[in-house]
Amino acid sequence: MHKDVPAIQASSFSVLYQSNTDTNFEDIAAFKSAFARSAEDARVYAQLNLLLEQGLEYAIMLYTWRSMSRALPHIRSNEQPHRMEIYHKTVEILEPHAQKLREFKNFQDSAIDRFVEEMRRLAHKDQKNFFVSQSYLLTLGKMLKMFVVLDEMKNMKASMKNDYSNYKRATQLLRHHDTELMKESQEVSMFLAKQKIIRDTLKERLVTIDGYEELLAEIINNSVNMYENKIYVLPEEKHTLVMVIAFSLYLADSSRIIDGKQVVVSLSKMAKKISISKIDRIFKECEVVNLFGDMSVEPFHYVKQNSSYDSSKWSECTNHSKTSSQGAILIHVQRFR
């Protein structure tokens, strides 16, 4: 090229492309025209996934909770010097942690409301003709697992209750004129003290939904199918399926009044919709599953809590002379070596 001809070619530059597949269904608008139901499902997925993320954060909070009130000085008598100063410091130190517990209570209330709302929508007669996808059922199952984890960990953590009791005692002396605070503090204290309050509240709310047990049966069958066909990768995913089956059976066993008549839903009545024998084998194979961290739970324990529990229907789980494949460690020793 002649030296007098100007160079009009632009200089090259690099283009950085970064993909993000974890969008949590932010492209919902793409489905609004032709796939209205897909858009609705995607919106629900996004909301439930957000609740699952928040639930995991609270599970981590509960799991890592360590007693702080044990390190604080205790009031031995009303004549103890610097008594009021100790109360002020106690409130100052425990206030951020008490706020976390208040937020935890509010979260589980809102999560139960959202889950029950979704179950009511899917159980409605106008929705029964629509197909509920496997991923949808799995997401609902994960919500059930979240409630189990939060409830069990709340029951196990005595240090958390002791910390809030110390905080409540100090605030009653310093802020007893604040009736709203005292009322909220009492509600949180009762929430922490009552065993199984999350699962029982969820069950009480679900019982008011006509046909909710049919949806639970679908969730159970989906989990059984995924377990039998090994549609999981990690042990956590496998244990989630087992816990979903167990907790769904616990929720399905109920009694309610409809049009002045008592309607009882028992496991024997659900036998037409689910396979008790398959579930029996699954519970025998996984007698103990990991709950969170180093905490474990027995899935079959939820079945035994049902009022309609009949041991004759669970021949595998009640046969204590037979060792489960999970517990027979000795047969795997050679492979480990």
Side-chain angles (χ1 to χ4, degrees):
M1 183 179 291
H2 196 274
K3 62 180 181 179
D4 295 331
V5 177
I8 61 174
Q9 184 177 358
S11 59
S12 60
F13 61 92
S14 60
V15 177
L16 176 63
Y17 172 75
Q18 183 176 2
S19 63
N20 180 16
T21 57
D22 186 19
T23 58
N24 199 20
F25 304 97
E26 292 180 0
D27 55 348
I28 294 176
F31 300 94
K32 283 186 176 179
S33 58
F35 307 99
R37 184 167 176 82
S38 298
E40 177 63 25
D41 289 348
R43 188 177 297 106
V44 173
Y45 282 143
Q47 295 172 354
L48 296 184
N49 284 337
L50 179 60
L51 288 175
L52 289 172
E53 291 176 4
Q54 294 173 340
L56 178 60
E57 293 177 0
Y58 282 110
I60 294 173
M61 180 196 77
L62 296 176
Y63 181 73
T64 57
W65 193 284
R66 297 297 181 268
S67 178
M68 288 155 283
S69 58
R70 293 178 61 182
L72 299 176
H74 294 277
I75 305 299
R76 304 299 179 185
S77 66
N78 292 333
E79 289 76 25
Q80 183 172 336
H82 310 295
R83 180 170 62 92
M84 298 307 295
E85 183 180 355
I86 293 176
Y87 280 135
H88 279 288
K89 286 296 182 181
T90 298
V91 172
E92 180 182 345
I93 293 172
L94 295 180
E95 177 66 41
H97 306 285
Q99 179 61 27
K100 291 180 181 179
L101 295 178
R102 287 193 288 265
E103 292 173 355
F104 169 52
K105 177 185 178 300
N106 294 334
F107 166 77
Q108 64 88 29
D109 286 337
S110 61
I112 290 177
D113 289 342
R114 186 65 189 88
F115 182 80
V116 171
E117 176 188 346
E118 187 58 23
M119 291 288 285
R120 180 175 284 108
R121 185 181 73 86
L122 294 175
H124 195 272
K125 59 181 180 180
D126 295 336
Q127 297 287 335
K128 290 184 178 180
N129 295 328
F130 289 101
F131 171 74
V132 182
S133 65
Q134 184 183 67
S135 57
Y136 208 154
L137 295 174
L138 183 60
T139 302
L140 293 175
K142 289 180 179 179
M143 287 289 294
L144 293 175
K145 167 73 179 305
M146 181 191 72
F147 291 127
V148 172
V149 171
L150 295 179
D151 192 57
E152 292 289 351
M153 295 184 68
K154 182 189 73 69
N155 296 338
M156 295 177 183
K157 285 291 183 177
S159 58
M160 174 183 60
K161 304 169 188 175
N162 294 334
D163 287 345
Y164 196 83
S165 295
N166 279 281
Y167 168 80
K168 179 185 174 184
R169 190 180 305 112
T171 53
Q172 283 177 335
L173 291 170
L174 300 177
R175 307 175 186 174
H176 59 275
H177 298 296
D178 191 341
T179 56
E180 287 295 327
L181 178 62
M182 292 298 100
K183 180 181 178 181
E184 183 184 32
S185 181
Q186 180 65 21
E187 291 176 352
V188 175
S189 182
M190 292 296 295
F191 166 72
L192 296 176
K194 189 174 181 180
Q195 297 285 308
K196 304 187 296 183
I197 187 173
I198 296 179
R199 73 174 82 163
D200 289 344
T201 302
L202 178 61
K203 188 170 185 175
E204 291 172 2
R205 296 285 303 278
L206 288 176
V207 167
T208 61
I209 303 174
D210 185 23
Y212 84 98
E213 65 276 1
E214 296 180 7
L215 189 55
L216 285 177
E218 290 189 45
I219 296 175
I220 292 173
N221 289 330
N222 178 65
S223 298
V224 170
N225 177 64
M226 294 182 67
Y227 182 92
E228 290 185 328
N229 293 285
K230 301 185 184 302
I231 309 178
Y232 53 81
V233 178
L234 302 176
E236 180 186 1
E237 297 173 352
K238 174 184 176 181
H239 294 165
T240 296
L241 297 175
V242 179
M243 282 305 305
V244 168
I245 297 171
F247 191 49
S248 297
L249 290 173
Y250 170 80
L251 295 174
D253 186 85
S254 63
S255 174
R256 62 183 184 273
I257 304 297
I258 299 179
D259 297 331
K261 298 181 180 179
Q262 187 176 20
V263 178
V264 178
V265 178
S266 61
L267 297 185
S268 58
K269 289 184 178 180
M270 290 191 65
K272 297 179 180 179
K273 301 182 179 69
I274 60 177
S275 175
I276 298 295
S277 59
K278 289 183 179 180
I279 298 174
D280 187 22
R281 288 194 296 270
I282 292 174
F283 286 163
K284 184 63 177 180
E285 184 175 333
C286 288
E287 290 184 310
V288 178
V289 299
N290 179 260
L291 183 67
F292 195 88
D294 60 349
M295 296 181 175
S296 302
V297 68
E298 297 180 19
F300 188 60
H301 179 67
Y302 288 92
V303 178
K304 292 192 290 186
Q305 293 182 41
N306 289 333
S307 57
S308 64
Y309 168 67
D310 183 2
S311 59
S312 63
K313 303 291 184 181
W314 305 89
S315 57
E316 291 285 338
C317 292
T318 54
N319 185 7
H320 301 295
S321 61
K322 180 181 178 181
T323 305
S324 69
S325 58
Q326 183 191 54
I329 301 177
L330 293 179
I331 63 176
H332 302 289
V333 170
Q334 191 63 34
R335 186 178 64 178
F336 293 157
R337 290 175 177 173

